[in-house]
Amino acid sequence: EIVLTQSPGTLSLSPGERATLSCRASQSVTSGYLAWYQQKPGQAPRLLIFGASRRATGIPDRFSGSESGTDFTLTISRLEPEDFAVYYCQQYGTSPYTFGQGTKLESK
Amino acid sequence: QVQLQESGPGLVEPSATLSLTCTVSGGSISRGNSYWSWIRQRPGQGLEYIGYIYYSGNTYSNPSLGSRVTFSLDTSKSQFSLRLNSVTAADTAVYYCARDPGYGEPLDYWGQGTLVTVSS
């Protein structure tokens, strides 16, 4: 199965700063089928980005995704207070679909 | 707007069978190319993909769960279900149902999740 390794495990930033989250795949992700989800405590994950770089409906444009080979990046250009949460990447191109272990974005 | 809602016992005894149902509203469960999926999250842990049942009835389960998992679909009730047998404490988790609208699409709608604890 494809292993997704997210880094860092925890990221401490302040509102207004830029956040860069990484997700590295153990092998090629079919057709760039890589998604990013945001999860807040007690809530289900929320789809942010799919196809490595396409924003889901209703997602602010401060969220962007990019791909370089087996490395994927989620960037939040200017952090808002509501952005502090856990972020997961997921590949959905090869079964079994797999998730990264998550990056916790916390307020400094 | 598609909505999903999990239901089922919150407590299951070790070695018993965990059974959960997901009720779908706002969209047809039997049309389109949707994969009706299950994901779980152990306490304080990340997400694990369990598997899916396709709108046609075909299924796929994560090899990590072996043959313990079965899925079913009840189109008359707009529901799909998960059964996990021979459970242990390691199966304690929040279980989510979600929709995958088709191959090459992500999980776009999720239920709120339901906590299942395996304990005697």
Side-chain angles (χ1 to χ4, degrees):
Chain A
E1 70 178 40
I2 296 177
V3 176
L4 299 178
T5 303
Q6 292 188 240
S7 61
T10 301
L11 185 58
S12 298
L13 294 170
S14 300
E17 291 192 294
R18 180 185 186 90
T20 303
L21 288 69
S22 175
C23 174
R24 173 165 289 177
S26 61
Q27 56 188 278
S28 177
V29 174
T30 301
S31 300
Y33 291 153
L34 191 287
W36 290 92
Y37 300 87
Q38 176 194 68
Q39 186 178 37
K40 296 181 179 179
Q43 296 184 17
R46 171 195 181 199
L47 177 65
L48 299 175
I49 299 287
F50 65 99
S53 61
R54 299 170 64 184
R55 272 189 301 276
T57 302
I59 301 304
D61 61 7
R62 65 179 181 273
F63 291 90
S64 63
S66 63
E67 171 188 5
S68 176
T70 57
D71 290 333
F72 298 84
T73 302
L74 173 69
T75 301
I76 310 172
S77 59
R78 285 181 58 85
L79 285 166
E80 298 288 341
E82 62 267 27
D83 298 337
F84 294 97
V86 179
Y87 292 82
Y88 294 95
C89 58
Q90 181 219 5
Q91 67 82 20
Y92 52 96
T94 303
S95 295
Y97 299 161
T98 49
F99 292 88
Q101 81 279 21
T103 289
K104 182 179 181 180
L105 178 57
E106 65 178 22
S107 182
K108 186 186 292 185
Chain B
Q1 172 97 352
V2 175
Q3 293 185 308
L4 298 92
Q5 176 68 59
E6 305 88 350
S7 59
L11 182 64
V12 179
E13 292 198 348
S15 77
T17 296
L18 178 160
S19 294
L20 294 174
T21 295
C22 183
T23 302
V24 180
S25 58
S28 173
I29 199 172
S30 59
R31 281 203 289 269
N33 296 317
S34 295
Y35 296 81
W36 300 100
S37 305
W38 291 95
I39 302 94
R40 72 179 181 181
Q41 186 169 35
R42 295 186 177 98
Q45 303 296 310
L47 299 159
E48 178 182 19
Y49 190 82
I50 298 172
Y52 63 75
I53 182 164
Y54 194 42
Y55 80 105
S56 64
N58 292 340
T59 64
Y60 170 85
S61 59
N62 193 323
S64 67
L65 293 164
S67 59
R68 296 197 296 134
V69 178
T70 56
F71 305 99
S72 60
L73 197 64
D74 186 340
T75 57
S76 67
K77 296 181 179 179
S78 201
Q79 295 177 333
F80 63 104
S81 299
L82 163 73
R83 288 173 59 88
L84 179 66
N85 60 33
S86 304
V87 297
T88 69
D91 295 308
T92 293
V94 174
Y95 286 77
Y96 295 99
C97 58
R99 185 188 81 158
D100 173 346
Y103 178 70
E105 300 289 344
L107 298 162
D108 57 357
Y109 291 101
W110 295 62
Q112 66 185 30
T114 188
L115 173 63
V116 178
T117 301
V118 178
S119 175
S120 55

